[in-house]
Amino acid sequence: DVIGHWGSGSGDVRALSLWATDGLLPDLTVLLDLDPAAARRRLDAADKPFDRLEAEKEEFHARVREGFLSLAADEPGRFLVLDARAAPDELAARVRNAVAERLG
């Protein structure tokens, strides 16, 4: 089961990403980082049924987060890691600036 093993390390996250994209990698990956407890509070506040991933325990979400943060640390030129607690307008501006830099 892919979901059961997802998040066990950055290699697994990268392998799953490469599988899902048939080996393609984006020039820029935006990682909106949020600690699992804060993410859970947001999900709970949304008052909607959880899908399979959302229903996973906090340990799973912590492993997935660490996997993505590890990937970002391994490829800092390809990742833009943003604190997802920031205001949406600030996040959008930072993403626009990063994209503009790469297109410029």
Side-chain angles (χ1 to χ4, degrees), residues 1-103:
D1 163 67
V2 172
I3 300 303
H5 296 288
W6 197 44
S8 60
S10 63
D12 290 342
V13 173
R14 184 174 177 77
L16 183 60
S17 296
L18 289 171
W19 171 80
T21 62
D22 199 24
L24 299 175
L25 286 174
D27 294 327
L28 174 65
T29 297
V30 177
L31 176 56
L32 298 175
D33 182 35
L34 186 62
D35 107 21
R40 178 60 59 188
R41 287 191 299 274
R42 285 186 182 183
L43 287 170
D44 290 344
D47 193 32
K48 67 176 188 67
F50 290 167
D51 66 21
R52 184 170 176 199
L53 287 177
E54 292 168 341
E56 288 288 337
K57 294 183 177 172
E58 189 170 336
E59 296 81 21
F60 168 82
H61 293 284
R63 286 193 322 268
V64 170
R65 178 186 186 212
E66 289 306 313
F68 278 106
L69 289 173
S70 180
L71 278 177
D74 290 345
E75 300 180 61
R78 197 170 66 74
F79 276 81
L80 172 63
V81 180
L82 300 175
D83 184 342
R85 296 173 300 171
D89 289 346
E90 179 186 336
L91 293 170
R94 294 198 53 202
V95 171
R96 277 192 303 274
N97 289 340
V99 170
E101 285 176 11
R102 281 163 176 78
L103 293 175

